[in-house]
Amino acid sequence: MTYQSLKGFPDILPDAAAGWRRLESVIHELARRFGYGEIRLPMLESTDLFARGVGEGTDIVGKEMYSFLDKSDPPESLTLRPELTASAARAFVQHSMAQAQPITKWYYIGPMFRYEQPQAGRFRQFHQFGLELYGSPNPEADAEVIIAGAELLRMLGLTNYKLRLNSIGTAEERAAYRTALLEYLTPLSGDLSQESVRRMEKNPLRVLDSKKAEDIRATADAPKILDVLQEESREHFERVKGLLAASGVEFTIDHRLVRGLDYYTRTAFEFQGLDLGAQDALGGGGRYDMLIEQVGGKSTPAVGFSFGMERLLIALQHAGLAGDMAPEEDVYVIGLDDASRAWAATATAEFRAAGLSAECDLLRRSMKAQMREANRRGARAVVIVGGDELAGRHAQVKDLASGDQKAIGFDDLLGELKGLLARPAAPHTVPAPVQPDRTEPISES
Ligand code: HAM
């Protein structure tokens, strides 16, 4: 019996994991610059949290959650987190963050689970990086979060995207808009896709973000939510736009952008990749001023976003920025006979203890096979020891980047290797930086 991973639950093997680590290091650096603290939240929460927080009428709660009854008596319904904004809101309330400080800024990285039809860029287990900012009702907070999203893409070197921006108003404004939209859509329902007709009942706003040609045609002259906003929401939106423009962040106003989660109020946005095919949302978010109260806390305004990390990696690949694999190894130690193999094992352990990445042969292979292995692993240097070297207490050290080779006494080996590793290698083996400088996209250094 052989097993396969579940559909939509990909494995990430070491070669791919290098790209993930690189992305993660950029994210941690971004969060440091913007002053967000990392939170690590549980995979499982009560089903009710998402039903309430994300909304019963959403696709996520309606058909995409991995929910099950646990073994308690009576059984409790639990759900693998489909997103983290609701969980973070739960944690914000549980740990009384509102009392601790006026503004709380959190970020997270981790897997989410949605029972969706897998396709390119869409998985059932996928990863998000997200930011959540609690405590400010002001447009400066919306702008900070959106600018952080744009800055992430800039640090990664991604430019082929569009930032779509909208305001979906307060709950009251949306209720009024919903009525107006339904009045417009009802006589046209014969022209809409089946899915949109179904959506019309639960959440007519979602008809606007359908990608189907017939829906786009039928809604071309639909009333726009921006036109029904009251003075305060309108002013808020104008300020957000002004702050983004002042920071040089380009955006497109898109009245079709309504987002698929129920908690949003006012600002909504999405970073759309322009070469990602059907699953083109790199990330999205918005303001959600009612959620904290909905999950049992004191009314607290909040705004945030999440990016899909698989999608960021796909976009990096498309842009040719996935990066060469950095050499994984500093040194490969080769022993030519029994006694020198034993020496190689001990020396390898010493090099590791001194902080080098070191490897030696575990299969008692020939010198030629060991050299091939050292090259395959991308080792920077090899240390070669045979009977003569052991007797003379020295080793041959070869710099695989330059091809230089010399005999070095055992006592000087570590110093020699450290010196060799400090010298730049040939251009194709320069490791990719993990802490990009503010002024340079990671692709260029
Ligand atoms: P969302 O739009 O549902 O928002 O997801 C955010 C991002 O996660 C998407 O733009 C996409 O890149 C990625 N994503 C979603 N589903 C999948 C999937 N099945 N496979 C691969 N990637 C996926 C949220 O989750 C909100 N919590 C965002 C937020 C944070 N709003 C306020 N704060």
Side-chain angles (χ1 to χ4, degrees):
M1 174 91 185
T2 58
Y3 296 97
Q4 299 281 313
S5 61
L6 300 176
K7 188 173 155 191
F9 284 72
D11 297 316
I12 299 171
L13 300 180
D15 274 3
W20 281 85
R21 279 202 305 276
R22 223 164 124 235
L23 173 58
E24 283 160 12
S25 74
V26 173
I27 289 170
H28 292 304
E29 173 61 10
L30 176 88
R32 184 190 70 77
R33 291 180 190 177
F34 279 77
Y36 286 70
E38 186 181 4
I39 43 162
R40 300 188 183 200
L41 296 166
M43 297 294 149
L44 276 180
E45 298 272 1
S46 127
T47 300
D48 190 50
L49 172 68
F50 299 113
R52 215 171 235 275
V54 177
E56 299 273 9
T58 61
D59 285 351
I60 294 180
V61 173
K63 52 185 188 192
E64 294 171 1
M65 295 208 300
Y66 280 92
S67 301
F68 64 93
L69 293 175
D70 75 359
K71 296 185 198 312
S72 56
D73 186 18
E76 191 182 349
S77 178
L78 304 180
T79 292
L80 274 174
R81 61 193 200 186
E83 62 106 55
L84 264 190
T85 307
S87 308
R90 191 266 310 139
F92 179 87
V93 175
Q94 183 173 335
H95 301 288
S96 310
M97 298 311 295
Q99 285 77 19
Q101 56 206 23
I103 297 281
T104 297
K105 304 210 284 188
W106 281 347
Y107 79 105
Y108 50 82
I109 291 179
M112 312 292 151
F113 306 86
R114 294 184 192 177
Y115 189 80
E116 293 194 83
Q117 211 39 53
Q119 52 173 270
R122 192 204 267 165
F123 309 91
R124 288 179 173 171
Q125 175 173 331
F126 61 98
H127 297 73
Q128 283 185 347
F129 150 56
L131 294 182
E132 312 291 351
L133 189 164
Y134 307 92
S136 170
N138 297 320
E140 291 83 344
D142 308 45
E144 171 176 311
V145 165
I146 298 172
I147 290 168
E151 180 61 9
L152 172 74
L153 298 175
R154 197 199 63 78
M155 286 168 77
L156 290 169
L158 290 173
T159 52
N160 197 16
Y161 72 89
K162 189 164 100 180
L163 168 59
R164 300 161 65 209
L165 187 67
N166 196 12
S167 173
I168 56 169
T170 60
E172 296 74 41
E173 288 159 346
R174 219 164 31 255
Y177 177 64
R178 189 190 146 103
T179 309
L181 188 62
L182 264 181
E183 262 168 36
Y184 171 87
L185 288 176
T186 308
L188 297 175
S189 54
D191 302 336
L192 294 173
S193 69
Q194 297 228 316
E195 195 182 355
S196 285
V197 173
R198 237 180 302 115
R199 279 186 164 160
M200 244 170 79
E201 285 164 28
K202 277 190 184 165
N203 186 355
L205 270 71
R206 290 300 308 282
V207 175
L208 292 175
D209 75 353
S210 160
K211 287 179 179 158
K212 299 215 163 76
E214 61 266 40
D215 297 330
I216 293 173
R217 243 190 334 267
T219 53
D221 297 322
K224 297 189 170 70
I225 192 157
L226 288 178
D227 294 337
V228 307
L229 295 186
Q230 305 283 307
E231 187 55 35
E232 225 180 300
S233 288
R234 205 183 287 256
E235 169 69 17
H236 186 97
F237 194 50
E238 288 307 313
R239 290 291 295 275
V240 173
K241 290 194 298 186
L243 288 161
L244 293 181
S247 284
V249 173
E250 286 177 25
F251 55 86
T252 308
I253 303 299
D254 188 341
H255 70 274
R256 290 182 178 277
L257 177 72
V258 295
R259 306 276 301 138
L261 303 91
D262 276 358
Y263 45 61
Y264 293 112
T265 48
R266 294 194 168 146
T267 314
F269 58 92
E270 230 164 68
F271 291 91
Q272 180 185 9
L274 297 179
D275 57 359
L276 291 184
Q279 302 305 313
D280 61 358
L282 284 166
R287 175 165 283 286
Y288 52 97
D289 289 347
M290 313 303 290
L291 180 63
I292 299 292
E293 209 172 345
Q294 262 161 26
V295 300
K298 201 170 112 282
S299 168
T300 306
V303 53
F305 68 58
S306 310
F307 276 86
M309 293 174 68
E310 285 80 0
R311 297 204 187 156
L312 288 172
L313 289 166
I314 294 170
L316 283 168
Q317 234 157 32
H318 287 186
L321 299 174
D324 290 339
M325 276 290 297
E328 287 291 317
E329 219 150 82
D330 293 332
V331 55
Y332 194 89
V333 189
I334 296 178
L336 299 183
D337 55 26
D338 251 16
S340 32
R341 278 201 190 95
W343 180 88
T346 313
T348 300
E350 279 172 20
F351 295 155
R352 288 172 178 160
L356 307 190
S357 67
E359 198 62 63
C360 64
D361 181 42
L362 300 176
L363 294 173
R364 303 193 168 180
R365 283 174 286 192
S366 69
M367 153 97 179
K368 202 168 147 205
Q370 290 188 62
M371 271 309 281
R372 214 181 302 122
E373 181 64 9
N375 278 309
R376 195 187 68 79
R377 302 178 70 90
R380 173 66 199 275
V382 285
V383 170
I384 307 164
V385 171
D388 291 349
E389 283 80 9
L390 262 193
R393 291 191 51 77
H394 66 265
Q396 299 294 329
V397 176
K398 182 167 184 177
D399 182 340
L400 290 183
S402 67
D404 297 343
Q405 180 171 329
K406 53 186 168 182
I408 304 291
F410 283 170
D411 293 342
D412 300 326
L413 258 184
L414 189 57
E416 172 68 19
L417 285 170
K418 283 188 170 168
L420 184 157
L421 292 166
R423 286 196 291 279
H428 70 280
T429 57
V430 173
V434 290
Q435 298 260 314
D437 180 71
R438 198 198 178 290
T439 55
E440 267 179 65
I442 59 172
S443 56
E444 289 173 11
S445 32

